[in-house]
Amino acid sequence: LAVSHLTAATHGTLPTDFDAERRMLLAEALLADSRDAEAVSVLEHWDSNSVWRAYAEFNLGVAFVRSGKLDQGASVLDALGQRTADSEEARVLKDQANVALGYALVQQHQPARALEVLARVRSAGPQATKALLGAGWAAADAGNIREALAPWLELRGRDLLDPAVQESYLAVPYGYAQLGAEAQAVEAYEEALREFEAESHRLDESIGAIRAGGLTQALEGLSAAPGSPLKVDPAKVPAARY
């Protein structure tokens, strides 16, 4: 449905910036529907100077990779991943390009190149955990299990709500098992079970508190100007962790 509506607004009927955004949304809808080749056709030959151009390049690289054209996708993502970034938004997109390319290379069993690309990702950026996880899998693919364990163990000390951290709880015991350290593998699996069960319990408690009216109570009496955010005390909100 989204593809149909976004296609209906044809080129030339919208101002330049709005049409660029339309093309971006159309391409993302096609990618979400696994219509990768069609997404490529929408994103190629991008002649706009709008703010959406860098995002178009990123999605074009992803679309190429997903449609089996790794060399073309790698070329686009590699260029974006090495480009000078003059804003935080550009730096985040640059990190995303390097993570996307790194993972594509891991899947193609090119661990050395993957490690080189993932090393470009900022250690304190929002993509850092994905880069660490990918670096571990690249090292494991190269047969360097001990090297793989270093980033995976680092991840276990981070926020469990992060999917990369969650996967690290399973990657660590896998690594120990590959090394023949069965006792450490069992201990690590047991730790993963404890952490996942505790998180599941916290989530159930939060759902119960919200259904019991806790969220409504936390918002009662609050007021703000139209369009302004409510000033809510996180300590009084059920499920603030989420």
Side-chain angles (χ1 to χ4, degrees), residues 87-144:
S87 69
E88 178 59 19
E89 184 178 9
R91 286 187 284 271
V92 169
L93 188 60
K94 182 177 178 178
D95 284 344
Q96 288 178 322
N98 284 318
V99 167
L101 177 55
Y103 273 73
L105 293 168
V106 170
Q107 292 172 354
Q108 293 296 316
H109 304 291
Q110 299 183 38
R113 191 177 172 201
L115 285 167
E116 179 184 339
V117 170
L118 291 168
R120 300 176 191 160
V121 179
R122 294 173 299 159
S123 61
Q127 298 296 310
T129 55
K130 291 181 181 178
L132 283 169
L133 181 68
W137 285 120
D141 189 51
N144 301 322

Side-chain angles (χ1 to χ4, degrees), residues 9-238:
T10 57
H11 179 71
T13 64
L14 293 170
T16 302
D17 281 347
F18 283 110
D19 187 62
E21 185 175 1
R22 177 195 67 82
R23 287 179 62 190
M24 274 297 308
L25 291 170
L26 174 58
E28 289 177 352
L30 290 167
L31 286 170
D33 199 31
S34 298
R35 295 161 65 177
D36 305 318
E38 292 176 70
V40 168
S41 67
V42 171
L43 292 165
E44 281 187 305
H45 312 301
W46 193 274
D47 55 4
S48 169
N49 291 321
S50 79
V51 295
W52 298 103
R53 178 165 185 158
Y55 290 96
E57 291 173 332
F58 173 77
N59 283 329
L60 177 60
V62 171
F64 272 137
V65 170
R66 287 177 47 170
S67 61
K69 300 177 180 178
L70 178 63
D71 289 343
Q72 289 168 275
S75 177
V76 174
L77 292 171
D78 193 43
L80 184 57
Q82 296 190 74
R83 185 174 301 166
T84 300
D86 56 5
S87 69
E88 178 59 19
E89 184 178 9
R91 286 187 284 271
V92 169
L93 188 60
K94 182 177 178 178
D95 284 344
Q96 288 178 322
N98 284 318
V99 167
L101 177 55
Y103 273 73
L105 293 168
V106 170
Q107 292 172 354
Q108 293 296 316
H109 304 291
Q110 299 183 38
R113 191 177 172 201
L115 285 167
E116 179 184 339
V117 170
L118 291 168
R120 300 176 191 160
V121 179
R122 294 173 299 159
S123 61
Q127 298 296 310
T129 55
K130 291 181 181 178
L132 283 169
L133 181 68
W137 285 120
D141 189 51
N144 301 322
I145 301 299
R146 293 185 186 280
E147 183 180 329
L149 279 168
W152 290 342
L153 287 167
E154 161 66 22
L155 281 170
R156 288 205 309 181
R158 303 196 182 192
D159 188 355
L160 189 59
L161 294 183
D162 188 316
V165 175
Q166 294 169 14
E167 187 171 335
S168 74
Y169 273 86
L170 300 178
V172 166
Y174 163 81
Y176 283 139
Q178 291 295 106
L179 291 173
E182 301 297 338
Q184 287 175 286
V186 169
E187 183 179 350
Y189 276 125
E190 289 175 343
E191 182 180 358
L193 282 170
R194 287 193 299 271
E195 291 291 340
F196 292 155
E197 286 174 354
E199 193 62 51
S200 179
H201 180 66
R202 286 191 289 268
L203 185 57
D204 287 340
E205 286 185 331
S206 295
I207 292 172
I210 290 172
R211 287 177 174 169
L215 183 59
T216 303
Q217 293 172 10
L219 299 177
E220 284 178 349
L222 296 177
S223 61
S228 299
L230 292 173
K231 294 182 179 180
V232 183
D233 182 358
K236 297 180 180 179
V237 179

